[in-house]
Amino acid sequence: MTSENDAAARYFSAITAALSGLEVFMRDDRSPLYRHGIVARIVAEYIARLDKSFACWRNRLGFMDTFRISRAESGYPVFQNLLELENDRQQADARLANIPQAGELREEMADFILRHKEFPEALQKSMAERLYLEDVKSEATFGPFTLAQTAKVSVNPKTMRPYYLVHWATFDGSANLPLIYMVTVEDSSESMVRQLVDNSTGKLNEKVEIPLPVDGLLNPELAHRFDDFTEKNSAYTLSPATIAVNLDKDFEPLHPKQLRRVVLGPFYSAGITDNNSTVAEVLSKVRKPENAWLLTWTIQEVFSKSEKPGRKGLFSSEKTTQEFFINTDDLEAARQGVSSYEKHALIPHEAYQALYAAGEAQKIFSGYKVHILSNGQVISDV
């Protein structure tokens, strides 16, 4: 195995272990998202997509020689890899038609070994490509942009408007970071209020069946515009407050009450990433390479503290607008443009011990909620 292949194997083992640990954390009843069960489930769905992408990229190395990651910044693959994965998905059927079936390839490989007494590298690459394309075609991966889904519908008894929990995701091409978005938005469209709200109970109309999750925004008249909006307003450089204000401004009948963004990363892996020299130096001393990693993530939230009623006049009118709370008492919250935020770190027990022994744990994890992965369990509040 070449040093490049060895490094790639270590990287994929580390990121797979990190994402698996993160899934365990999301299922843990001590997770801050656990109390919001649907939120934890949504995040877990995107983690599973990301995990599948890494499995596909790992298989792709069986017939492609290069794989680039953002070593000095996010620790994630560069954006080009996601574009190639998406392109391969679209071309999978056409390419598979030109590759023999797996059974035929196995027979040819066995015959080649018997006749030539050497390993059939070309046939092995064909087999790797077939398995990769079958995987890419059949499974949901984390793409450059994942269209919105409505995951929950209810009614606000105070406003008598239906509200939706809608989520989508993007892989930011500049920051090379996976971003997950969730927004709770009330809908004052006359047609949706009439259809969904039972005036006698102030609850959802039981006669209307909603097969959740629903692709796109539940309101069909706004769904395409909402998709366009999310695709144009999901960059990492935009603060959650900016996105919420833009949504409030661009859709008269929609009233965003809460917007949450989960930033999955950066990721640190010994001998691979150099996005933090102190972390890299200590992780390099961890005995088992599969335990020499650190995954961080940030949960950002902005919510509406009040609603300014709209007015309709003869010559001019104003739409109902939200007043979003930005915590200016917290300089970091103000900088991020959020009401609140949480920074988390997940690290294997052996790696945490190494950082603690080196006297670096307190400095590195200042401001973070630390979660330690040990024997398949996550220990928090250390």
Side-chain angles (χ1 to χ4, degrees):
M1 180 178 280
T2 67
S3 59
E4 290 83 0
N5 286 341
D6 183 51
R10 281 188 288 113
Y11 174 77
F12 281 113
S13 294
I15 191 72
T16 299
L19 293 175
S20 297
L22 187 53
E23 282 192 87
V24 170
F25 173 74
M26 288 298 162
R27 293 193 299 268
D28 194 299
D29 60 7
R30 290 165 296 183
S31 162
L33 291 182
Y34 187 84
R35 62 183 181 273
H36 307 292
I38 193 168
V39 174
R41 287 199 302 274
I42 289 168
V43 175
E45 286 172 17
Y46 287 113
I47 293 169
R49 281 175 170 264
L50 199 55
D51 193 35
K52 193 63 196 178
S53 291
F54 277 102
C56 289
W57 283 322
R58 195 172 199 162
N59 289 340
R60 196 170 186 265
L61 281 178
F63 62 96
M64 297 291 286
D65 296 329
T66 58
F67 185 81
R68 290 177 56 225
I69 67 168
S70 177
R71 293 170 58 102
E73 293 168 353
S74 71
Y76 276 90
V78 298
F79 189 60
Q80 182 64 27
N81 290 296
L82 279 93
L83 296 177
E84 290 172 355
L85 203 63
E86 195 62 29
N87 187 57
D88 288 344
R89 178 201 306 285
Q90 294 171 11
Q91 297 181 359
D93 285 327
R95 286 169 59 181
L96 282 168
N98 295 317
I99 302 174
Q101 294 292 327
E104 294 176 44
L105 286 169
R106 290 191 187 94
E107 289 180 7
E108 287 186 45
M109 290 169 70
D111 183 61
F112 185 95
I113 292 170
L114 288 172
R115 286 189 295 108
H116 298 279
K117 303 294 188 289
E118 60 183 69
F119 190 76
E121 290 188 12
L123 290 169
Q124 175 64 25
K125 285 190 174 184
S126 293
M127 176 68 85
E129 185 173 4
R130 166 163 280 282
L131 294 176
Y132 163 76
L133 291 170
E134 288 175 348
D135 230 11
V136 166
K137 187 180 79 163
S138 63
E139 297 288 349
T141 54
F142 198 107
F145 182 80
T146 304
L147 289 168
Q149 273 193 340
T150 299
K152 180 182 178 181
V153 183
S154 193
V155 172
N156 182 342
K158 292 181 180 179
T159 62
M160 295 297 281
R161 299 170 183 158
Y163 69 84
Y164 323 127
L165 173 61
V166 188
H167 62 89
W168 69 95
T170 187
F171 192 97
D172 188 275
S174 298
N176 286 306
L177 284 168
L179 309 174
I180 301 166
Y181 287 92
M182 281 164 268
V183 65
T184 302
V185 58
E186 291 185 10
D187 188 347
S188 61
S189 305
E190 287 185 16
S191 60
M192 299 306 289
V193 172
R194 188 169 55 251
Q195 184 179 354
L196 296 176
V197 180
D198 184 332
N199 289 320
S200 62
T201 64
K203 297 180 180 180
L204 271 178
N205 185 349
E206 294 182 353
K207 296 177 182 177
V208 178
E209 289 189 20
I210 306 171
L212 297 171
V214 174
D215 287 339
L217 185 75
L218 188 64
N219 186 328
E221 295 178 4
L222 301 176
H224 288 302
R225 274 184 59 208
F226 188 84
D227 284 343
D228 289 340
F229 172 88
T230 53
E231 196 158 5
K232 293 171 183 173
N233 286 268
S234 296
Y236 183 55
T237 52
L238 295 176
S239 72
T242 298
I243 297 169
V245 167
N246 288 348
L247 178 58
D248 188 39
K249 181 180 66 178
D250 288 3
F251 293 85
E252 184 164 348
L254 297 183
H255 314 279
K257 297 298 181 179
Q258 180 194 53
L259 186 138
R260 183 184 280 115
R261 176 165 71 184
V262 182
V263 183
L264 292 175
F267 174 70
Y268 307 88
S269 178
I272 309 294
T273 62
D274 48 17
N275 34 13
N276 184 307
S277 57
T278 303
V279 173
E281 183 180 346
V282 177
L283 288 182
S284 67
K285 298 172 184 175
V286 174
R287 186 170 52 88
K288 294 182 178 179
E290 64 269 25
N291 289 334
W293 54 265
L294 165 64
L295 176 64
T296 64
W297 70 96
T298 304
I299 304 171
Q300 301 170 308
E301 181 185 328
V302 63
F303 61 83
S304 172
K305 62 180 179 179
S306 63
E307 183 173 284
K308 181 182 176 184
R311 65 176 182 83
K312 292 186 178 181
L314 192 59
F315 299 105
S316 66
S317 61
E318 292 180 2
K319 78 177 290 287
T320 301
T321 56
Q322 306 301 309
E323 293 185 38
F324 295 102
F325 171 66
I326 303 299
N327 187 2
T328 53
D329 292 335
D330 184 324
L331 292 178
E332 181 60 19
R335 186 191 68 80
Q336 293 184 28
V338 295
S339 308
S340 63
Y341 69 94
E342 292 179 355
K343 295 167 72 177
H344 294 263
L346 179 69
I347 186 169
H349 185 255
E350 185 185 353
Y352 182 79
Q353 282 186 316
L355 288 170
Y356 189 83
E360 299 289 352
Q362 187 172 356
K363 181 174 68 176
I364 288 169
F365 295 123
S366 176
Y368 283 85
K369 295 184 177 182
V370 182
H371 315 282
I372 297 174
L373 184 63
S374 179
N375 297 320
Q377 301 293 316
V378 176
I379 305 164
S380 299
D381 304 319
V382 294

